[in-house]
Amino acid sequence: MSDLSKLPVTVITGFLGSGKTTLVRHLMQNPQGKRLAVIVNEFGDVGVDGEILKSCAIPDCPAENILELANGCICCTVADDFIPTIEALMALDPRPEHILIETSGLALPKPLLKAFDWPDIRSKITVDGVIALADAEAVAAGRFAPNVAAVDAQRLADDSIDHETPLSEVFEDQISCADIILLTKPDLAGPEGIAKAKEIIAAEAPRPLPVVEVAEGVVDVRVVLGLEAAAEDDMDARPSHHDGHHDHEHDDFESTVVDLPELADPLELVSRIERLANELNILRVKGYAAVAGKPMRLLVQAVGARVRHQFDRPWKPEENRLGRVVVIAEHDDIQEAKIRDILAGVTEPAE
């Protein structure tokens, strides 16, 4: 690639737990001969996604090409974080040929696209495309309001009132900004769920968008890279709930980090995380734990009450065998004392 050509950047957005890190890992392992670099922007300071990706580093995307910006939205800290990070990647030798940006599940993509209009980088990079991931089962179930039945009842009572929740706005903005939708976890949704999810996405999309079913992040790289969308020049076609605002707020969401003592059984943690979702409306839990008698670290990722766990790597000799998870929810649902008690097994399940 000549120094005069713009470096393509792909923005990967999607709702909490939709499979963004799994997709990035697949792209890293199947780079089609391109030298890749990755920026991971997490919500919360545990840094799980960045560590997962660094553990998968290969010659075409070495660990030094994977940079993490934790506990802050890159579109809100353009001058302090985003621009220096892009410049650091462009200064690498050899220079990356394509940059992947994995946004936080709570991020609105359009403000990030506006960051690409900054004079310092506009002449050097271009947004090749925006890829939005959507969890087929969650979309089909309409999980963008805490109580869908109550919202529907309110709408019937007063059509003039907008009863959307912050989660629905995030989802709709991600769909509106996308060049292609990847419908993930189709096996959990089944044919009817997939059809319903596609129907919902089509209704929310401002223009016809390709929707591709993807299991475990496996997709032909040619489908998602090389779109040449120049999205930074196509902003009017990507409407947002926040158009006209000079900035956007993340106060609707909050995270807390909880340290975990060694567990006797992984299923203990699974049941406690399920309780967080069912009793406290927790949206997302991710992190790691230590299990007694096991030399491997337990990696845990949960979307609502759906919990996935696996042993990912041995504990390092210098590491303290202490678990740590980040818990994410809407602002009013973060009750730190209750969260810590449930994760510690102090309280009994609610009847």
Side-chain angles (χ1 to χ4, degrees), residues 232-259:
E232 70 276 13
D233 294 328
D234 187 35
M235 301 294 284
D236 290 343
R238 303 165 192 266
S240 164
H241 286 278
H242 298 260
D243 282 340
H245 294 202
H246 295 296
D247 54 18
H248 66 283
E249 300 294 335
H250 294 278
D251 293 343
D252 295 322
F253 305 98
E254 192 171 331
S255 68
T256 187
V257 176
V258 180
D259 290 333

Side-chain angles (χ1 to χ4, degrees), residues 3-61:
D3 291 336
L4 297 177
S5 63
K6 289 187 177 183
L7 181 64
V9 176
T10 295
V11 175
I12 299 173
T13 185
F15 199 63
L16 294 162
S18 58
K20 297 185 297 296
T21 302
T22 303
L23 172 66
V24 173
R25 183 167 53 189
H26 171 73
L27 296 177
M28 286 171 54
Q29 294 172 339
N30 299 273
Q32 303 290 307
K34 294 180 182 291
R35 288 193 303 277
L36 299 179
V38 179
I39 300 173
V40 183
N41 187 209
E42 293 206 57
F43 192 91
D45 64 0
V46 174
V48 175
D49 294 344
E51 186 171 344
I52 292 172
L53 295 177
K54 287 182 180 180
S55 71
C56 302
I58 60 172
D60 282 325
C61 189

Side-chain angles (χ1 to χ4, degrees), residues 153-169:
Q154 288 173 324
R155 282 176 175 158
L156 288 173
D158 188 351
D159 290 337
S160 68
I161 297 177
D162 182 1
H163 298 288
E164 290 181 319
T165 68
L167 292 181
S168 70
E169 290 191 5

Side-chain angles (χ1 to χ4, degrees), residues 15-18 43 105-106 143-146 165-168 170 252-254 273 276-278 280-286 301-307 326-331 333-334 339:
F15 199 63
L16 294 162
S18 58
F43 192 91
L106 301 176
R143 295 186 193 139
F144 309 114
T165 68
L167 292 181
S168 70
V170 172
D252 295 322
F253 305 98
E254 192 171 331
I273 291 173
L276 291 180
N278 295 329
L280 300 181
N281 296 321
I282 297 303
L283 301 171
R284 187 86 161 94
V285 178
K286 56 184 179 179
Q301 302 211 49
V303 183
R306 195 167 70 209
V307 186
V326 60
V327 179
I328 305 170
E330 293 189 43
H331 184 275
D333 291 327
I334 290 288
I339 290 170

Side-chain angles (χ1 to χ4, degrees), residues 36-204:
L36 299 179
V38 179
I39 300 173
V40 183
N41 187 209
E42 293 206 57
F43 192 91
D45 64 0
V46 174
V48 175
D49 294 344
E51 186 171 344
I52 292 172
L53 295 177
K54 287 182 180 180
S55 71
C56 302
I58 60 172
D60 282 325
C61 189
E64 59 267 26
N65 284 30
I66 303 169
L67 300 182
E68 186 175 12
L69 300 175
N71 207 28
C73 173
I74 50 180
C75 53
C76 296
T77 56
V78 175
D80 293 334
D81 292 323
F82 180 62
I83 301 294
T85 300
I86 290 288
E87 290 178 337
L89 290 177
M90 295 182 69
L92 290 172
D93 186 15
R95 180 184 175 188
E97 295 173 305
H98 202 116
I99 297 175
L100 309 176
I101 299 180
E102 178 189 338
T103 70
S104 157
L106 301 176
L108 302 176
K110 190 166 182 179
L112 174 57
L113 294 190
K114 291 179 180 178
F116 286 88
D117 201 33
W118 274 54
D120 287 350
I121 59 173
R122 180 171 175 79
S123 63
K124 303 172 185 175
I125 61 177
T126 181
V127 183
D128 181 69
V130 178
I131 313 301
L133 278 68
D135 182 315
E137 183 186 38
V139 173
R143 295 186 193 139
F144 309 114
N147 187 328
V148 176
V151 170
D152 288 342
Q154 288 173 324
R155 282 176 175 158
L156 288 173
D158 188 351
D159 290 337
S160 68
I161 297 177
D162 182 1
H163 298 288
E164 290 181 319
T165 68
L167 292 181
S168 70
E169 290 191 5
V170 172
F171 171 74
E172 290 162 15
D173 277 19
Q174 290 171 349
I175 295 299
S176 295
C177 200
D179 293 291
I180 186 170
I181 311 294
L182 300 186
L183 201 57
T184 62
K185 305 173 187 175
D187 53 321
L188 298 177
E192 291 185 4
I194 292 170
K196 179 64 175 176
K198 289 182 177 179
E199 178 184 320
I200 292 171
I201 290 169
E204 297 295 348

